[in-house]
Amino acid sequence: MMDQTPFPAGSDAGSQMTLSIIIPAYNEEEVIEQFHARLASVMAQLGMRWEAIYVNDGSRDRTLPILTALHERDPRAAVLNLSRNFGKEIAMTAGLDHARGDAVIVIDADLQDPPELIPALVAGWQEGFDVVYAQRRERQGESWLKRATAHAFYRVMQRIGGSVRLPQDTGDFRLMSRRACDALLQLRERHRFMKGLFAWIGFPTKPVLYDRDPRAAGTSKWNYWKLWNLSLEGITSFTVVPLKVATYLGLLVAVFATLYGGLIVVRTLIFGNPVPGYPSLMAVVLFLGGVQLMTLGIIGEYLGRIFNETKGRPLYLVERHLQSGLQVSGKAAPASLVA
């Protein structure tokens, strides 16, 4: 277990600790250089030994050449080039697999999460917290619809997530101690919702409030369809509430059908048997068909995830690993292919 006795930044004790910073990148050629300059400036003031692990997640622009040149210029910059695009959740996992520091920070390259907040995260770690996460007060540069849907998603997850309490308005930007990172890496499911996995491991946590900035350059890679799919991952990974809803909805329809059938019998005995209306018949048929298809769809979402998990494929493949110059005693470099 890591010694987390508080020490001032820049002291002899603090300078012996190492920090690994994970930066997943997908088509971020316009912002990488600016991000690294700000990161290096912050870390110089912090006075700790550090490495920046840039995970190139199958970028199609000049992100990889820029990262390669950055590695040659700054030995603290490592480059982990995945064989193709695997998605941000798995790219973060790849970076965590290759991190060797006493603590690990996950941050996006688009500068919406400011590197200048890192000293506050480190201060929380020095106080003895294993996970120090950045919690948003404001989300600048985003549409009202995106802010509203994000707000609703976090509230829904808090209600249906069971024992996993997902912090409100909290992204991936956070610091984790070595033991928290090692615990997280034991969770190897393919359908990864990292915000939920961060919360699942537990350990003492602390929030640090901040205002999220607009993107420094480029455009967001997260459209509403991708955000919708990510929400499905979060819901199906940490709760079976949709299955319960389908069960109760089916039960409710069955009870309604029984009561309605009884009503028809009584009316027939009293008033005879008039010809039933075609529109009402079609409405009932379409309603029942919709309920059945929705229920099958929910079951299919869970079944598909079971199917993908049973294949046992590796989470990702590494095409190239340019390691940083960070020297960490007793910690070997990871293999280039991790399951």
Side-chain angles (χ1 to χ4, degrees), residues 76-93:
R76 297 166 300 189
V79 179
L80 190 65
N81 186 46
L82 303 187
S83 62
R84 64 170 177 83
N85 178 261
F86 287 90
K88 182 185 176 184
E89 309 296 293
I90 289 182
M92 283 190 288
T93 302

Side-chain angles (χ1 to χ4, degrees), residues 167-338:
Q168 295 182 3
D169 303 317
T170 302
D172 300 313
F173 186 21
R174 68 190 63 223
L175 178 146
M176 291 183 292
S177 68
R178 183 74 257 171
R179 70 167 182 168
C181 181
D182 290 342
L184 177 66
L185 292 178
Q186 295 180 49
L187 312 178
R188 306 304 294 185
E189 59 254 42
R190 285 191 54 82
H191 290 272
R192 307 183 69 79
F193 178 65
M194 295 301 292
K195 298 175 184 62
L197 296 180
F198 289 140
W200 188 91
I201 62 172
F203 294 106
T205 62
K206 177 183 178 179
V208 174
L209 299 178
Y210 78 112
D211 295 328
R212 198 175 197 218
D213 297 327
R215 285 183 63 94
T219 58
S220 175
K221 313 308 182 295
W222 290 95
N223 55 37
Y224 285 106
W225 178 248
K226 290 182 179 180
L227 290 172
W228 167 254
N229 286 327
L230 181 63
S231 301
L232 288 181
E233 292 288 359
I235 293 172
T236 55
S237 295
F238 290 92
T239 179
V240 294
V241 167
L243 292 174
K244 293 182 178 179
V245 169
T247 300
Y248 293 136
L249 183 58
L251 179 62
L252 181 63
V253 170
V255 171
F256 174 79
T258 302
L259 295 177
Y260 185 66
L263 177 62
I264 291 177
V265 171
V266 172
R267 290 180 60 183
T268 301
L269 293 175
I270 297 175
F271 302 106
N273 185 22
V275 178
Y278 179 77
S280 60
L281 178 62
M282 287 300 300
V284 171
V285 170
L286 291 175
F287 174 73
L288 292 177
V291 170
Q292 291 172 344
L293 289 175
M294 184 187 71
T295 303
L296 288 175
I298 293 173
I299 295 173
E301 288 288 340
Y302 284 92
L303 185 60
R305 282 155 176 76
I306 295 172
F307 172 69
N308 288 332
E309 295 293 343
T310 57
K311 293 177 183 178
R313 295 174 181 172
L315 295 181
Y316 59 88
L317 297 175
V318 176
E319 184 273 334
R320 190 184 317 171
H321 180 205
L322 305 178
Q323 193 169 321
S324 72
L326 181 68
Q327 299 297 322
V328 182
S329 60
K331 295 178 182 176
S336 60
L337 187 151
V338 182

